[in-house]
Amino acid sequence: MNTIDPAERYEKNADRPAPPRRRRQSPQLGAVARQVAQQYRRDTMSPVMVSGAMRLIEFAALVVAGLQIYVGHVGLETHLYWQYPLIIVGVAATAVIVMEFSDCYQMPALRNPLSRAGRILIAWTGTFALLTVALFFLKISSQFSRFWLGTWYISGLVLIVFLRLAAAHLIRRWARNGRIERRAVIVGGGKNAETLIRSIEQQPYNDIRICGIFDDRDDRRSPPVVAGYPKLGNVEELIEFARIARIDMMIVSLPITAEARVLAMLRKLWVLPIDIRLSAHSNHLRFRPRAYSYIGSVPMLDIFDRPINDWDSVAKRAFDIVFSLIGILLFSPVMLVTAIAIKLDSKGPVVFKQKRHGFNNEEIEVYKFRSMYVEQCDPTARKAVVKDDPRVTRVGRFIRRTSIDELPQFFNALFGSLSLVGPRPHAVAAEAHNRFFDEVVDGYFARHRVKPGVTGWAQINGWRGEVDTEEKIRKRTEYDLYYIENWSLLFDLKILLLTPVRLLNTENAY
């Protein structure tokens, strides 16, 4: 049996024109739907983030007030110099926790602080009562300044009231200009959708902004306008609309009995990085209360949750910044030597930029050390690199095999287009066996519900290098989806620490 050297195979096919390839086209949004999608601002804040920030601000304000009074009145020369700060931090934390359990950080409470004024007073007073009782029973109350205690109580209460009034003013202004809101679309029209919309609009201090309705049925079965909101398209068009408008929530207004229609919609929509809820307001079937989430008093069944959202995203971003800076400092000598070697080995730029799919299926530009001759670089990655590929330079073979070519992506992670850990970003036109990846794997774009990463769960499990079979892209996607569903900071740390060890296996890297 004759064998053909990969380099010879490439040379024979290099001049042969590739057959035209066209990606499956998604339905185009109508002019009205596109105009609606593009009108929304991008610098929005989640209500969860706002209430979380309020907790931190109030905690910090109470601590600073207590410390200032302690330093100004008691002084640092006291023998209790370490006990005062400890008590101050403990009291501030206890007050915030008590107010949390009293629902004082819910958005209705922040929008209208007077509605929870009694609870705030009881929480702050009760915290000081606990402190006084604790000091009494520990027989150390005489050692602490009563002036400090009374002054901190009064100033802390004034601070909380001032902060609440300022926050209410800001939140109401942000709500008016669209800075703080949860954008939602309704899937399914008719009477059910109208009843749902009326129920949501009746909720006081509602942060839901309904952007429109999408339904596969024609205007005879589903009216073009429901409760004042236009029908903007069908479910296929909804995917593009949700990405452009940065939708937060999708509410399916179909009865649970319409199982086939609901499942058909979910198969198309689960690839989006949004919360998907099934409206339960008009269903006669009732579950246990814990099975529901609520918009005001409107019950919803949770179908899919947006992964790595709100404070999880803050923690992951902090993780990326810290470890990206560490990586840049640690590998800067390697990157400097690599840049010099590339420059000496072949003409052209040191860094190669390539368009790849990022979060929410948006295109991003990823940095790599150039490993090919500049005139043979393939920004589209349509022709996968094979073993002994003549396009790869001498230095390129080494840095590809050792993954040194990926080191510039620390800067991608630092600037925010990539995460350190996540599904590896694939080139926009990448193919396996002359088929685009999304044509091979059903739900392939669900990988893009989170930011792509410099390294990932699939890579440390051996699925790296050339994607020359459909099975390889299926396995990569399978591992990527597992990572998304099981994400945690500890999982990220595990992947990051295992990456250098697993890169020693260079079998599929060339």
Side-chain angles (χ1 to χ4, degrees):
M1 182 177 178
N2 294 328
T3 60
I4 300 177
D5 181 73
E8 184 181 348
R9 179 184 63 197
Y10 177 82
E11 289 171 357
K12 286 184 176 181
N13 295 329
D15 297 327
R16 183 181 301 172
R21 293 280 295 119
R22 307 189 76 177
R23 186 181 293 275
R24 291 182 300 184
Q25 294 296 315
S26 300
Q28 293 298 309
L29 280 178
V32 174
R34 186 169 293 278
Q35 183 179 1
V36 171
Q38 291 174 341
Q39 74 179 357
Y40 299 114
R41 60 190 299 165
R42 289 178 170 252
D43 58 339
T44 57
M45 294 183 294
S46 162
V48 174
M49 297 291 288
V50 172
S51 61
M54 194 64 191
R55 295 179 182 92
L56 294 176
I57 291 170
E58 286 190 342
F59 171 77
L62 293 174
V63 169
V64 169
L67 288 175
Q68 282 183 336
I69 298 168
Y70 157 64
V71 172
H73 177 71
V74 179
L76 298 174
E77 66 277 2
T78 175
H79 66 287
L80 300 174
Y81 66 91
W82 64 272
Q83 293 178 350
Y84 270 98
L86 191 64
I87 288 175
I88 289 170
V89 171
V91 168
T94 302
V96 170
I97 292 170
V98 173
M99 286 191 285
E100 168 67 24
F101 281 105
S102 302
D103 291 333
C104 294
Y105 290 106
Q106 300 298 319
M107 288 306 295
L110 296 179
R111 286 173 182 250
N112 185 14
L114 295 179
S115 66
R116 297 290 194 278
R119 296 187 184 184
I120 293 171
L121 177 62
I122 291 171
W124 184 235
T125 304
T127 302
F128 265 76
L130 286 174
L131 172 62
T132 304
V133 170
L135 294 178
F136 174 79
F137 279 106
L138 291 172
K139 297 182 179 181
I140 57 173
S141 58
S142 60
Q143 302 179 42
F144 287 87
S145 167
R146 288 166 177 76
F147 178 85
W148 164 76
L149 200 64
T151 306
W152 187 30
Y153 171 78
I154 295 171
S155 62
L157 189 59
V158 171
L159 264 177
I160 292 173
V161 171
F162 173 77
L163 289 172
R164 293 274 167 157
L165 292 174
H169 174 74
L170 276 177
I171 289 170
R172 285 195 290 266
R173 189 175 72 182
W174 289 339
R176 286 194 301 270
N177 62 25
R179 182 80 186 275
I180 177 171
E181 63 186 6
R182 286 186 292 169
R183 295 172 190 160
V185 292
I186 308 296
V187 179
K191 190 64 178 176
N192 277 346
E194 182 177 0
T195 305
L196 170 64
I197 292 170
R198 300 295 187 203
S199 300
I200 292 175
E201 289 181 334
Q202 289 171 5
Q203 302 305 311
Y205 304 112
N206 186 13
D207 62 344
I208 296 293
R209 178 170 183 170
I210 298 173
C211 302
I213 297 169
F214 288 81
D215 199 339
D216 283 337
R217 296 173 296 180
D218 58 30
D219 290 349
R220 291 173 300 175
R221 300 177 58 200
S222 175
V225 178
V226 177
Y229 293 93
K231 184 170 69 175
L232 299 176
N234 57 36
V235 174
E236 291 281 357
E237 294 166 332
L238 169 55
I239 295 177
E240 185 179 359
F241 179 88
R243 286 176 173 146
I244 296 173
R246 293 180 177 260
I247 295 299
D248 300 298
M249 180 183 297
M250 186 179 304
I251 305 174
V252 180
S253 178
L254 294 173
I256 297 177
T257 51
E259 180 181 355
R261 284 186 64 200
V262 172
L263 289 176
M265 288 181 179
L266 294 180
R267 285 193 190 98
K268 299 174 183 176
L269 301 176
W270 75 283
V271 301
L272 292 169
I274 59 177
D275 295 327
I276 299 181
R277 303 288 182 256
L278 179 61
S279 170
H281 76 289
S282 61
N283 290 314
H284 298 293
L285 183 62
R286 287 289 176 260
F287 299 96
R288 297 179 64 184
R290 291 182 181 179
Y292 298 103
S293 61
Y294 291 87
I295 298 175
S297 60
V298 181
M300 302 281 171
L301 289 172
D302 297 353
I303 306 301
F304 290 110
D305 289 323
R306 178 176 178 172
I308 316 181
N309 198 19
D310 294 326
W311 286 104
D312 284 342
S313 65
V314 174
K316 187 169 175 62
R317 182 70 187 124
F319 180 94
D320 288 341
I321 292 172
V322 170
F323 283 95
S324 293
L325 289 172
I326 293 173
I328 290 168
L329 292 174
L330 189 63
F331 291 103
S332 55
V334 178
M335 288 192 276
L336 179 60
V337 170
T338 302
I340 295 172
I342 292 171
K343 206 66 180 173
L344 294 175
D345 185 48
S346 61
K347 64 179 181 179
V350 169
V351 175
F352 173 69
K353 300 176 183 178
Q354 188 176 58
K355 295 288 186 182
R356 298 194 179 188
H357 279 128
F359 172 70
N360 203 22
N361 217 38
E362 295 174 352
E363 288 189 7
I364 59 173
E365 199 169 57
V366 172
Y367 308 142
K368 297 181 69 174
F369 279 126
R370 180 176 58 83
S371 59
M372 294 185 180
Y373 293 104
V374 68
E375 64 275 5
Q376 298 184 61
C377 285
D378 181 15
T380 65
R382 183 156 291 175
K383 296 178 181 177
V385 176
V386 298
K387 193 172 183 180
D388 297 326
D389 197 313
R391 297 175 296 172
V392 179
T393 65
R394 291 174 300 173
V395 171
R397 286 192 175 87
F398 175 77
I399 63 175
R400 291 178 72 93
R401 189 166 61 250
T402 56
S403 291
I404 291 175
D405 65 324
E406 310 282 359
L407 290 180
Q409 288 168 31
F410 277 119
F411 291 97
N412 279 112
L414 181 63
F415 299 147
S417 57
L418 290 183
S419 180
L420 272 182
V421 181
R424 283 291 295 155
H426 294 148
V428 174
E431 300 177 5
H433 271 199
N434 204 35
R435 294 177 68 195
F436 291 117
F437 289 167
D438 58 300
E439 296 173 343
V440 176
V441 182
D442 187 29
Y444 166 79
F445 288 124
R447 302 171 71 253
H448 304 150
R449 289 185 294 160
V450 300
K451 277 186 185 179
V454 178
T455 184
W457 184 236
Q459 281 62 45
I460 69 165
N461 281 280
W463 300 102
R464 59 186 286 251
E466 182 184 4
V467 183
D468 54 352
T469 67
E470 295 183 358
E471 176 64 14
K472 286 184 178 179
I473 188 56
R474 288 194 184 96
K475 295 301 291 186
R476 282 193 184 189
T477 304
E478 178 184 328
Y479 276 86
D480 290 338
L481 296 181
Y482 175 87
Y483 165 79
I484 293 172
E485 296 299 325
N486 295 276
W487 174 85
S488 70
L489 282 180
L490 285 177
F491 196 13
D492 273 4
L493 187 59
K494 173 184 176 181
I495 293 171
L496 201 60
L497 294 177
L498 283 175
T499 296
V501 178
R502 299 299 170 86
L503 289 181
L504 296 175
N505 178 10
T506 61
E507 181 181 354
N508 296 320
Y510 37 81

